[in-house]
Amino acid sequence: MGGIKIKYKIAIIYTVLTAAVLCIVSTFIYIVTSIHRKNEFFGRLHSRASIAAEFRFLQSEVDARLFEEISRKHLQALPEEREWVFDADEAGREKLLVLLDSLEIPASFLNSLLENSYAEHESNRTQTVGIRYDHRGKEHLVMVSAFDEAGKGLMTYLFRVLFTGVLVSVAVVYLLGLIYAGSILKPIAQIIQKVNRITASNLHLRLEVHEPPDELADLALTFNRMLDRLETSFDIQHNFISNASHELNNPLTAIVGESEVALSKNRDAEEYRQSLEVISREASRLERITLNLLKLAQTSYNDQGLVVERFRLDELLLEIKKDINENNPGNKVQLDFSNAREEERLYLAGSRSLIKIALTNIAENASKFSANNDVELGLYDKGPEIMVRIWDRGVGIPENELKYIYDPFFRASNVRNIKGFGIGLPLAYKIMSLHGGRIRVESVENEGTVFELYFPLGAAADFR
């Protein structure tokens, strides 16, 4: 059933199983009825043999006309009925053996008759019963055979009824199976339809997860998690390209500009030395940026997905502060670890490079949108979570625009004159979601903004 749709596979399997059960039940009914029919006819022949023997021996003692009338009323002839009576002596047994041989009945019939006073045999067409009958102290062997025409007809009718019933039931079950399988698979078809509408340009769309949770809800949730990872990967790529172009452009511009100035006219040795120092400094900066970008690209992924590792959050914040100092020497970002002093609770399990991207984006935004005013970057122990608080005294975010800050490429109306891409916060939000964390934001326009990033302790996110 390689190319058959699942709906038809389910209907076919369901039908085959039902047909198998019906065949087994029908066969059981037919066999039990056949056995009952055979035993019932043997019982009739047994009674027939006894009555026939009594009438035969009574015939010699009553008027012939009276015997005929009694026989007609009480001994209705059976199809192909034949009766034999033999003496139980040696001569009678020999005659019975000859008869049995002509009727193709085994000699064991006589043995059973002599030992048990009863014997029965069934051939392809007739059934035969033999009994021992004692009349006035003399033993006789009585044998009756007949064809169970009514019983055979009943079995033929029963077979047709059962066979027709199985065929009709199989057809009905197949149709019902198609309807049932279609209703079961309809939600899956809807999921497939919705997934097919999701492309690289609308990765923010998600499947609806129904309640109560079941296998289909798990499937939708799995798709949503996969879309989270894909969207984060796209955002990381976009962020990487944006950062790379921005970071690489500055030193390259400086190198090209200084070279053009140096080559524009003849200069003395000191001026050339100063130009070379600028070029060397910018080249070193370019090398450092390139190495950092390559390190970010190489360490974010391995063959199985995002690299998950255990690291100290305070050390990561120190590293972020160092990077901010290099990129923006005039910043006033201040670190505060006084509210998280227990060393063991400073460890996180997750993607260090992604968490660094999230925290760096928010910290750099805080410094950029506050015109290098004071920015606090602090750690706080919050029981089952550890919180990173980034507080600035910048332009803030208009209250009616707070709900849009995680939308890709959204930029608040009061910062559109400041250079930016509108992907930092959406990317940070996705990274926090991947790690099972959350972000809380408070902002007052023209006063400042507080970002609180809560990380769960002791559990790594599932990136696979």
Side-chain angles (χ1 to χ4, degrees):
M1 294 190 294
I4 304 177
K5 289 186 176 182
I6 294 179
K7 179 175 74 172
Y8 296 104
K9 288 183 180 180
I10 293 176
I12 291 172
I13 293 173
Y14 183 62
T15 302
V16 169
L17 292 176
T18 304
V21 172
L22 289 175
C23 287
I24 292 173
V25 172
S26 299
T27 302
F28 175 77
I29 292 174
Y30 184 84
I31 292 174
V32 169
T33 304
S34 178
I35 293 174
H36 174 74
R37 190 269 324 160
K38 182 177 70 173
N39 292 336
E40 189 270 340
F41 194 68
F42 274 135
R44 289 180 62 189
L45 291 179
H46 188 184
S47 300
R48 185 81 175 187
S50 299
I51 296 173
E54 290 179 4
F55 277 147
R56 179 171 293 244
F57 290 114
L58 184 62
Q59 184 179 8
S60 60
E61 300 176 4
V62 298
D63 182 80
R65 288 184 300 174
L66 177 61
F67 176 80
E68 289 294 336
E69 183 178 351
I70 295 174
S71 177
R72 180 174 52 81
K73 289 183 178 180
H74 299 283
L75 289 178
Q76 183 180 1
L78 296 173
E80 301 181 21
E81 180 181 3
R82 289 186 291 178
E83 302 170 357
W84 297 273
V85 179
F86 300 94
D87 293 334
D89 56 13
E90 190 68 29
R93 295 177 186 178
E94 289 295 332
K95 292 179 181 179
L96 180 56
L97 281 175
V98 173
L99 176 63
L100 293 176
D101 184 61
S102 65
L103 297 175
E104 297 182 353
I105 298 176
S108 58
F109 181 90
L110 176 59
N111 297 332
S112 177
L113 178 59
L114 295 175
E115 292 177 4
N116 305 316
S117 299
Y118 176 80
E120 62 183 32
H121 175 74
E122 182 178 24
S123 63
N124 292 333
R125 184 171 179 81
T126 61
Q127 291 177 234
T128 304
V129 167
I131 63 172
R132 294 172 65 175
Y133 183 79
D134 184 87
H135 179 68
R136 294 185 177 182
K138 185 177 181 181
E139 193 171 11
H140 300 274
L141 303 177
V142 181
M143 191 171 74
V144 178
S145 72
F147 171 57
D148 186 11
E149 186 176 22
K152 295 286 187 180
L154 175 64
M155 294 308 299
T156 301
Y157 177 75
L158 178 62
F159 176 81
R160 291 174 179 172
V161 169
L162 293 176
F163 183 75
T164 304
V166 169
L167 290 181
V168 173
S169 299
V170 166
V172 172
V173 167
Y174 179 72
L175 293 176
L176 293 177
L178 284 178
I179 296 173
Y180 181 71
S183 64
I184 290 295
L185 295 175
K186 185 177 180 180
I188 298 179
Q190 292 175 344
I191 289 176
I192 294 174
Q193 186 179 12
K194 291 178 182 177
V195 170
N196 286 334
R197 291 201 298 262
I198 299 175
T199 63
S201 60
N202 57 2
L203 281 175
H204 61 281
L205 297 179
R206 294 295 180 269
L207 301 177
E208 184 179 353
V209 180
H210 296 282
E211 294 291 342
D214 54 14
E215 288 80 2
L216 293 177
D218 291 340
L219 178 62
L221 190 60
T222 301
F223 269 116
N224 286 342
R225 288 173 178 169
M226 179 191 69
L227 291 171
D228 285 340
R229 294 193 291 271
L230 285 175
E231 186 177 12
T232 301
S233 297
F234 272 82
D235 289 344
I236 291 171
Q237 183 183 35
H238 192 177
N239 188 67
F240 179 85
I241 294 172
S242 300
N243 286 339
S245 61
H246 175 71
E247 296 296 334
L248 295 175
N249 184 65
N250 290 337
L252 284 174
T253 300
I255 291 173
V256 172
E258 193 65 31
S259 300
E260 290 178 348
V261 170
L263 296 173
S264 63
K265 63 178 181 178
N266 292 328
R267 301 178 183 276
D268 57 31
E270 180 61 25
E271 289 178 325
Y272 281 125
R273 187 183 66 79
Q274 292 176 355
S275 295
L276 290 173
E277 286 179 352
V278 172
I279 292 174
S280 176
R281 184 171 63 251
E282 294 300 326
S284 298
R285 181 186 172 195
L286 179 61
E287 179 185 22
R288 184 171 63 253
I289 293 172
T290 303
L291 290 176
N292 287 336
L293 290 174
L294 288 175
K295 183 179 179 182
L296 173 62
Q298 293 170 354
T299 59
S300 294
Y301 291 87
N302 60 15
D303 293 338
Q304 298 178 333
L306 293 172
V307 176
V308 178
E309 56 187 306
R310 192 167 182 263
F311 61 93
R312 285 185 57 149
L313 192 52
D314 57 339
E315 293 178 354
L316 180 61
L317 293 181
L318 288 170
E319 185 178 322
I320 291 173
K321 168 61 175 170
K322 181 181 177 182
D323 291 343
I324 293 176
N325 289 341
E326 291 180 356
N327 295 329
N328 181 15
N331 76 89
K332 294 182 181 179
V333 176
Q334 302 295 324
L335 297 177
D336 181 10
F337 300 153
S338 60
N339 296 294
R341 297 182 178 180
E342 190 174 340
E343 182 176 344
E344 186 59 31
R345 297 180 59 78
L346 297 176
Y347 283 92
L348 283 184
S351 172
R352 189 178 190 277
S353 59
L354 287 186
I355 293 176
K356 181 180 179 181
I357 290 174
L359 295 175
T360 300
N361 282 341
I362 297 177
E364 287 185 341
N365 282 348
S367 183
K368 178 170 61 175
F369 296 130
S370 64
N372 283 341
N373 281 328
D374 292 339
V375 174
E376 178 192 301
L377 186 57
L379 273 177
Y380 294 80
D381 192 336
K382 296 293 183 178
E385 300 172 307
I386 189 166
M387 184 259 285
V388 177
R389 186 173 185 267
I390 303 174
W391 170 73
D392 67 66
R393 296 183 179 86
V395 296
I397 304 171
E399 184 178 358
N400 62 335
E401 297 181 6
L402 278 173
K403 57 184 176 182
Y404 303 114
I405 61 175
Y406 301 125
D407 292 347
F409 307 109
F410 172 78
R411 306 195 69 216
S413 58
N414 58 344
V415 297
R416 290 174 184 167
N417 60 326
I418 302 175
K419 187 176 181 180
F421 301 99
I423 61 174
L425 282 180
L427 180 57
Y429 179 81
K430 293 295 185 302
I431 292 172
M432 292 298 295
S433 297
L434 285 177
H435 287 81
R438 56 193 176 92
I439 303 179
R440 180 174 174 271
V441 183
E442 291 183 0
S443 185
V444 178
E445 193 172 2
N446 298 320
E447 292 186 13
T449 303
V450 177
F451 279 89
E452 294 179 350
L453 290 80
Y454 293 84
F455 296 89
L457 294 175
D462 179 14
F463 296 103
R464 305 294 174 87

